[in-house]
Amino acid sequence: MAPATKTQPADGKPQLNQRETEVIAKAFRCIVDVKDGVVQIDSAKLAKIGGYASADSARHVWKPIANKLIAMASDLGDDDGPTTPSKAKPKGTPRKRKTDTGADPEGTPTKKRKAKAVKAKVEKDDSDEEAEARVEVDNADADGEA
């Protein structure tokens, strides 16, 4: 847990200091509109009332205080503030995307199949053929003599 500061005690809830309370009192006199639960302040009027040099410096003083007020309101469980509906989507199995059947087939890459390796036949060399021919001739001669 973060260490306690003078505007945020050890319990973690933001609190306002004296200066912030004074700025809030002056800012209430400068409210222009409330949009989505957020108060809109006329920065030029706040600069004039608060004694700031410009509207920009008044806006820089007011913005952190406004954020602190919003945080304090959310800690109280105030349901009157702006809320956005949230829909919980069930996470399921992702589905395949539909493909366009009219798509250009040349533009779509296709998977190439690997060719099967062909075993090379071993050819008999001339010496083997001559040896077989001699054996046949020898067998024919042996059959004729007997």
Side-chain angles (χ1 to χ4, degrees):
M1 182 186 269
T5 61
K6 59 182 177 181
T7 60
Q8 187 173 4
D11 62 357
K13 295 180 182 178
Q15 290 185 346
L16 300 172
N17 61 24
Q18 181 66 34
R19 178 69 182 144
E20 292 168 337
T21 306
E22 291 172 5
V23 172
I24 291 170
K26 292 173 185 174
F28 269 101
R29 295 173 52 191
C30 305
I31 292 176
V32 176
D33 193 14
V34 178
K35 293 182 182 176
D36 298 325
V38 179
V39 177
Q40 304 295 317
I41 301 293
D42 182 7
S43 299
K45 188 173 180 181
L46 181 61
K48 186 177 179 182
I49 294 171
Y52 299 107
S54 66
D56 191 41
S57 59
R59 187 173 32 255
H60 285 288
V61 169
W62 170 249
K63 189 64 177 172
I65 298 170
N67 289 338
K68 192 181 280 191
L69 288 172
I70 292 170
M72 290 173 71
S74 65
D75 286 345
L76 295 174
D78 187 14
D79 293 333
D80 294 338
T83 59
T84 56
S86 61
K87 294 181 181 178
K89 279 189 171 182
K91 291 186 180 182
T93 305
R95 298 181 187 191
K96 286 186 175 181
R97 294 183 181 175
K98 291 183 180 181
T99 57
D100 187 16
T101 57
D104 185 23
E106 295 174 6
T108 307
T110 57
K111 188 174 183 179
K112 295 181 180 180
R113 294 187 177 190
K114 292 182 180 180
K116 292 184 178 180
V118 179
K119 293 183 180 179
K121 293 183 179 180
V122 179
E123 294 184 17
K124 297 180 182 179
D125 56 344
D126 292 336
S127 60
D128 290 338
E129 289 176 7
E130 289 175 7
E132 286 180 15
R134 279 187 229 137
V135 171
E136 289 177 11
V137 171
D138 289 337
N139 286 340
D141 289 338
D143 289 337
E145 290 178 8

